[in-house]
C-alpha cells in the first residue's frame, strides 16, 4: 500500500497536528483564555486518537442482524463520551478560575499576574 | 452475599455519594456530618479490605457482575489496600479538623461546597487506587484533580487562584498524556483491564507504540506526582490552599500518583520486552537525587513555613522514587514504607501550621501567612503546636524513633544491597539539608524573643487533637514497624511475583 501511505495515516496526521498545535498554544501564549483554548484543542486531539481507529468504513453499530457483517468497535466511542465530559468540566472550571483571576488581579495576562505577585512578595519581604 | 463481599464497591461509592448529598443539603453543618460519615465509612472499609487481603492476597471485585476483561474490575492487592488505608485514614482525620479550620479561611456560605469537593476528591483518590481498569484510572484521576483545583482556589489569598489555574493546566496536560498512553495500549491490545494488559503486552514485540505509551504514561503521571523537574505547580498550590486542603493533598494526592506509576511499571509494563532495554531506573535515580538535593536546598531559603515544607515534600518524593529506581524488592519496600510514613508526617506538619495561623489571626480575621517574622518566640505561646512540628520535623530528617528513620533505614539497606554506597552517602547528605530547614523553624520559634504585646494563645483543641494523632502516629510507626514494613514487604513481593 505504498501509494496510499499518506492517506492511510491521514487521521493520525490530523491527530498529531492537533495535539502538537494545542500543546504549543498552551505553552507559548500568556493569555489565560488562549491557554485554555490550546488545552481544549490538545484534549480534542485525543478524542480523535481513540475514535478514528475504532471506525471501519462501511461498518455499523454492533447489532446482530443477518444483513450486517462489518461492525465498528463501539467501546472507544463510549470511552470518549466520558473523556468529552471530563474535557468540558475542565474547560468550565478553567474559565471560572479565569473569571475570578480577572476580578482579583484585573488582568488575564500571565506576565502581569506574575509581576503583581512579585510586587506583593517584594513588599512582604521589605516588611520583614 | 454479605456486606463484606461488597467492600471494594462501598469503598468508593460511600464518599462519592456523600458529595452530591452535601450539595443538596446546602448547609455547612449537615454537609460536614455527611461527608465525615462517608470518610469514616471509607476508612472502615479500607481496614476491612486490608484484613481481607491479608488472608487471601488479592481481591477481585466485578462491578455489575461483568467478568473482566469485559467488565470493570476493582482489584485490591496488598499495595492497594495499604494506599487505601493512608488516603481514607488521612481524610478521616483531616475532615473533623476542617470543621474549625475553615471557619476563618472560607466564607461560611461556601462551607457545604468545600465538604462536597472534599468528598469528591476523596472518592477520586480511592477510585484511582482500587480500580483495575486503565481508563477508569483516568476518570477517577480527573474527578480528584478537578475537585483539587477547586479546593486550592478556595484559599483566601488571590495567589491561590493563580496557583489553582497553573495546577489545572499542568494537571490536565499530565492527565491527557496519561490517556494518550492508555490509547496506544488499547490500540495495541484491545483491552483496558490492567492484568489483561500486562498479559497481552508480553507478546507485543519491542515496538515504537509501546515505547510511546510507556513514555506518555510515565511523563503524565510524573507531572501529577511532582517528580523533579515537573514539580512547578506544587509549591504555590500547597502554600496558598486552605490549611486542611494542604494537609490532605500533601499526604494523599502525590502518593496516589506514585501508586499509579508503580502499578503501570510493574503490572502493565513489567513483563514487556521493551522495559529491560530502557534506562528507566537510571533516569529515575538521577531525577530522585536532583529532587532530594535541589528541592531540599530551595526549602532552606523559604520565608513562608508552608512553602518551606512544600519544597520539602518535593525532596521527600525524591526518596520515594529513589527506592523504586533500585528495581529490587527491598528498594520497592522502602518506597512503599516511605510513601506512608511521609504521608502522615507531612499531614501532621501542615495540620499544625494550620492551627498556628488560625491562632495568629486577630479578631477572627483571615489567618496570615506563616512567615518567619511572625513566628518569633512562638514556642512559649504555642508549646504543643511547636513541639509537634519539631517531632514531625525530626521524622522528616530521619531521627531514630520516628517514622522517617524507618523508611530511610530501609532505603539505605536497599542501596547497600545494590552495592551502591555513594547513594547511602547521598541519602545522609540530603538529610543534613532537612536538618537545616527544620532547624530554621526551631531557631525562630524557640530562641528568638517574642515581639512585645503579643497575647495569642495555643491553637484550639479541635485543631490540635487531629494533628497530634498524626504526630503520635509518626512516633508509633517509628517504634513499631510490623504494620508498615510488614504490609509493604508483602506488597513488594506481590509486585515482583508479577514481574518474574
Amino acid at each position: 500500500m505504498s501509494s496510499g501511505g499518506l492517506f492511510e495515516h491521514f487521521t493520525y496526521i490530523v491527530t498529531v497536528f492537533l495535539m502538537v498545535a494545542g500543546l504549543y498554544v498552551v505553552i507559548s501564549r500568556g493569555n489565560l483564555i488562549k491557554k485554555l483554548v490550546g488545552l481544549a484543542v490538545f484534549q480534542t486531539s485525543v478524542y480523535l486518537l481513540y475514535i478514528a481507529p475504532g471506525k471501519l468504513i462501511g461498518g455499523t453499530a454492533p447489532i446482530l442482524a443477518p444483513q450486517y457483517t462489518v461492525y465498528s468497535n463501539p467501546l472507544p466511542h463510549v470511552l470518549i463520551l466520558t473523556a468529552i465530559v471530563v474535557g468540558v468540566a475542565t474547560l468550565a472550571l478553567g474559565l471560572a478560575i479565569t473569571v475570578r483571576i480577572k476580578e482579583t488581579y484585573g488582568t488575564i495576562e500571565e506576565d502581569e499576574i506574575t509581576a503583581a505577585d512579585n510586587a506583593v512578595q517584594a513588599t512582604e519581604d521589605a516588611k520583614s | 452475599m454479605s456486606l463484606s463481599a461488597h467492600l471494594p464497591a462501598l469503598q468508593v461509592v460511600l464518599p462519592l455519594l456523600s458529595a452530591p448529598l452535601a450539595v443538596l443539603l446546602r448547609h455547612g453543618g449537615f454537609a460536614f456530618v455527611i461527608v465525615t460519615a462517608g470518610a469514616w465509612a471509607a476508612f472502615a472499609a479500607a481496614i476491612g479490605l486490608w484484613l481481607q487481603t491479608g488472608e487471601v492476597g488479592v481481591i477481585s471485585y466485578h462491578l455489575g457482575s461483568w467478568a473482566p476483561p469485559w467488565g470493570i474490575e476493582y482489584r485490591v492487592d496488598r499495595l492497594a489496600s495499604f494506599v487505601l488505608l493512608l488516603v481514607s485514614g488521612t481524610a478521616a482525620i483531616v475532615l473533623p479538623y476542617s470543621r474549625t479550620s475553615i471557619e476563618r479561611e472560607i466564607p461560611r456560605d461556601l462551607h457545604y461546597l468545600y465538604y462536597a469537593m472534599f468528598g469528591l476528591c476523596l472518592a477520586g483518590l480511592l477510585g484511582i487506587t482500587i480500580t483495575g481498569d486503565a481508563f477508569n484510572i483516568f476518570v477517577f484521576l480527573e474527578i480528584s484533580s478537578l475537585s483539587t483545583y477547586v479546593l486550592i482556589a478556595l484559599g483566601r489569598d488571590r495567589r491561590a487562584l493563580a496557583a489553582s489555574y497553573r495546577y489545572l493546566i499542568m494537571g490536565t496536560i499530565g492527565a491527557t498524556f496519561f490517556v494518550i498512553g492508555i490509547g496506544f495500549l488499547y490500540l495495541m491490545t484491545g483491552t483496558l483491564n490492567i492484568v489483561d494488559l500486562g498479559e497481552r503486552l508480553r507478546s507485543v514485540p519491542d515496538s515504537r507504540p509501546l515505547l510511546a505509551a510507556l513514555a506518555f504514561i510515565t511523563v503524565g503521571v510524573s507531572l501529577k506526582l511532582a517528580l523533579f523537574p515537573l514539580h512547578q505547580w506544587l509549591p504555590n498550590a500547597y502554600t496558598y490552599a486552605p490549611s486542611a486542603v494542604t494537609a490532605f493533598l500533601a499526604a494523599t494526592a502525590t502518593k496516589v500518583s506514585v501508586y499509579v506509576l508503580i502499578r503501570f511499571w510493574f503490572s502493565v509494563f513489567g513483563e514487556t520486552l521493551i522495559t529491560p532495554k530502557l534506562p528507566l531506573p537510571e533516569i529515575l535515580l538521577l531525577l530522585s537525587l536532583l529532587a532530594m538535593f535541589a528541592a531540599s536546598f530551595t526549602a532552606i531559603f523559604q520565608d513562608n513555613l508552608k512553602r518551606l515544607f512544600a519544597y520539602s515534600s518535593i525532596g521527600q518524593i525524591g526518596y520515594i522514587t529513589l527506592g523504586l529506581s533500585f528495581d529490587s524488592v527491598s528498594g520497592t519496600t522502602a518506597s512503599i514504607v516511605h510513601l506512608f510514613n511521609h504521608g502522615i508526617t507531612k499531614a501532621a506538619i501542615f495540620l499544625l501550621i494550620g492551627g498556628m495561623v488560625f491562632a495568629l489571626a486577630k479578631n477572627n480575621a483571615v489567618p496570615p501567612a506563616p512567615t518567619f517574622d511572625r513566628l518569633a518566640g512562638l514556642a512559649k505561646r504555642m508549646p504543643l503546636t511547636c513541639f509537634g512540628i519539631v517531632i514531625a520535623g525530626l521524622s522528616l530528617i530521619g531521627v531514630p524513633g520516628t517514622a522517617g528513620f524507618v523508611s530511610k533505614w530501609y532505603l539505605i539497606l536497599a542501596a547497600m544491597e545494590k552495592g551502591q554506597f555513594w547513594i547511602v552517602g547521598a541519602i545522609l547528605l540530603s538529610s543534613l539539608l532537612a536538618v537545616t530547614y527544620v532547624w530554621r523553624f526551631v531557631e525562630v520559634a524557640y530562641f528568638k524573643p517574642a515581639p512585645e504585646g503579643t497575647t495569642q494563645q495555643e491553637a484550639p483543641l479541635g485543631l490540635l487533637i487531629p494533628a497530634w494523632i498524626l504526630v503520635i502516629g509518626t512516633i508509633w510507626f517509628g517504634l513499631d514497624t510490623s504494620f508498615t514494613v510488614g504490609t509493604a514487604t508483602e506488597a513488594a513481593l506481590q509486585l515482583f511475583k508479577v514481574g518474574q
Side-chain angles (χ1 to χ4, degrees):
Chain A
M1 293 275 279
S2 58
S3 62
L6 192 68
F7 187 72
E8 198 183 346
H9 296 122
F10 177 67
T11 53
Y12 287 113
I13 292 167
V14 174
T15 306
V16 171
F17 175 76
L18 286 177
M19 207 176 268
V20 179
L23 198 55
Y24 176 77
V25 172
V26 177
I27 296 166
S28 66
R29 295 293 124 177
N31 184 306
L32 300 190
I33 301 277
K34 288 181 184 167
K35 267 184 188 298
L36 286 175
V37 171
L39 199 66
V41 172
F42 180 51
Q43 286 184 301
T44 309
S45 71
V46 181
Y47 309 159
L48 212 53
L49 177 77
Y50 274 74
I51 298 266
K55 171 68 185 165
L56 283 177
I57 309 262
T60 69
I63 303 160
L64 273 183
Q67 63 267 43
Y68 301 124
T69 49
V70 184
Y71 306 118
S72 292
N73 184 354
L75 187 62
H77 300 73
V78 182
L79 296 178
I80 289 315
L81 207 56
T82 317
I84 290 172
V85 175
V86 168
V88 168
T90 310
L91 189 60
L93 181 59
L95 289 172
I97 294 175
T98 311
V99 170
R100 291 282 315 279
I101 287 179
K102 173 76 179 164
E103 283 170 5
T104 53
Y105 282 88
T107 175
I108 53 166
E109 292 296 331
E110 200 180 27
D111 44 355
E112 289 172 26
I113 293 167
T114 316
D117 281 350
N118 289 343
V120 173
Q121 195 70 50
T123 48
E124 274 177 12
D125 291 348
K127 257 188 278 173
S128 61
Chain B
M1 279 217 263
S2 67
L3 195 65
S4 64
H6 290 290
L7 277 183
L10 291 172
Q11 176 80 77
V12 181
V13 167
L14 291 174
L16 192 60
L17 273 182
S18 71
L21 283 177
V23 177
L24 289 175
L25 287 169
R26 297 184 73 84
H27 181 281
F30 293 142
F32 165 74
V33 170
I34 210 135
V35 175
T36 308
W40 284 5
F43 187 44
I47 294 174
L49 285 175
W50 183 75
L51 293 173
Q52 285 183 15
T53 53
E55 287 166 18
V56 299
V58 179
I59 303 168
S60 168
Y61 181 84
H62 306 164
L63 279 187
S65 297
W66 292 90
W70 298 283
I72 288 174
E73 178 194 18
Y74 275 9
R75 197 175 175 86
V76 195
D77 57 6
R78 256 341 220 175
L79 176 61
S81 73
F82 195 50
V83 177
L84 288 174
L85 268 180
L86 172 68
V87 174
S88 57
T90 315
I93 291 174
V94 171
L95 269 167
Y97 172 97
S98 16
R99 183 84 181 114
T100 317
S101 168
I102 62 172
E103 283 290 319
R104 290 182 187 174
E105 285 181 313
I106 297 172
R108 185 158 294 176
D109 54 334
L110 296 180
H111 280 187
Y112 73 98
L113 289 174
Y114 165 84
Y115 291 116
M117 283 301 132
F118 201 107
L120 268 187
C121 186
L122 173 63
L125 292 171
L126 293 172
I128 297 171
T129 314
I130 205 169
T131 188
D133 182 277
F135 200 83
N136 219 218
I137 291 184
F138 164 71
V139 175
F140 278 122
L141 191 72
E142 285 293 32
I143 290 178
S144 70
S145 301
L146 286 168
S147 43
T148 304
Y149 309 145
V150 178
L151 285 173
I152 291 170
L154 280 171
R156 268 299 174 86
D157 194 303
R158 69 176 181 176
R159 279 170 285 186
L161 292 170
S164 168
Y165 181 90
R166 176 183 277 188
Y167 186 19
L168 182 136
I169 296 285
M170 304 275 269
T172 308
I173 291 175
T176 311
F177 269 31
F178 179 73
V179 85
I180 291 170
I182 303 288
F184 284 141
L185 293 182
Y186 179 69
L187 291 182
M188 275 184 282
T189 60
T191 184
L192 288 166
N193 183 285
I194 287 188
V195 178
D196 202 29
L197 269 176
E199 282 170 9
R200 292 193 192 199
L201 285 175
R202 239 181 290 174
S203 56
V204 169
D206 171 8
S207 62
R208 209 175 287 170
L210 193 61
L211 183 66
L214 177 60
F216 272 115
I217 288 174
T218 304
V219 174
V221 177
S222 299
L223 257 168
K224 300 296 289 186
L225 71 83
L227 180 67
F228 190 90
L230 303 172
H231 64 276
Q232 298 298 339
W233 56 268
L234 189 144
N236 273 352
Y238 279 18
T239 309
Y240 301 116
S243 313
V245 175
T246 310
F248 182 63
L249 292 182
T252 58
T254 46
K255 310 296 176 290
V256 168
S257 303
V258 173
Y259 166 85
V260 175
L261 192 68
I262 296 177
R263 180 59 69 217
F264 271 85
W265 277 15
F266 284 92
S267 307
V268 176
F269 291 103
E271 292 167 77
T272 52
L273 297 167
I274 199 167
T275 332
K277 293 182 195 159
L278 293 176
L280 278 180
E282 286 79 6
I283 296 172
L284 199 61
L285 176 68
L286 180 71
L287 295 179
S288 307
L289 288 172
L290 277 174
M292 282 156 55
F293 283 96
S296 306
F297 193 69
T298 318
I300 295 173
F301 299 100
Q302 300 306 315
D303 270 329
N304 183 324
L305 202 58
K306 261 178 120 178
R307 185 185 283 271
L308 185 154
F309 284 114
Y311 273 106
S312 148
S313 271
I314 301 165
Q316 298 282 331
I317 288 164
Y319 292 111
I320 300 176
T321 48
L322 179 72
L324 289 180
S325 76
F326 293 145
D327 197 20
S328 65
V329 174
S330 51
T332 310
T333 307
S335 280
I336 298 168
V337 174
H338 196 54
L339 190 145
F340 184 88
N341 286 345
H342 175 246
I344 56 171
T345 306
K346 221 14 113 32
I349 288 182
F350 280 123
L351 288 184
L352 287 165
I353 294 177
M356 183 191 286
V357 294
F358 186 89
L360 280 175
K362 297 181 184 85
N363 308 325
N364 294 335
V366 180
T371 46
F372 273 115
D373 55 312
R374 293 200 179 91
L375 307 182
L378 207 67
K380 284 217 176 63
R381 285 170 287 140
M382 299 186 195
L384 282 173
T385 304
C386 291
F387 189 55
I389 295 182
V390 170
I391 291 181
L394 292 178
S395 172
L396 283 182
I397 298 166
V399 173
T402 60
F405 171 72
V406 177
S407 26
K408 280 195 182 161
W409 176 252
Y410 279 91
L411 262 181
I412 289 174
L413 285 185
M416 296 215 280
E417 187 190 281
K418 281 260 157 186
Q420 289 174 312
F421 291 94
W422 64 277
I423 296 181
V424 177
I427 294 171
L428 296 176
L429 260 180
S430 64
S431 300
L432 283 181
L433 294 175
V435 173
T436 318
Y437 61 67
V438 173
W439 177 255
R440 276 197 73 196
F441 169 75
V442 175
E443 190 190 357
V444 172
Y446 281 84
F447 298 111
K448 278 206 176 158
E452 293 293 317
T454 43
T455 53
Q456 305 101 330
Q457 294 302 307
E458 185 59 88
L461 279 182
L463 303 182
L464 271 180
I465 292 170
W468 265 88
I469 290 174
L470 287 170
V471 172
I472 291 166
T474 61
I475 299 174
W476 177 273
F477 292 120
L479 300 175
D480 177 14
T481 61
S482 55
F483 164 66
T484 49
V485 178
T487 314
T489 313
E490 287 164 27
L493 285 174
Q494 271 185 347
L495 288 172
F496 273 87
K497 204 182 289 169
V498 174
Q500 272 161 14

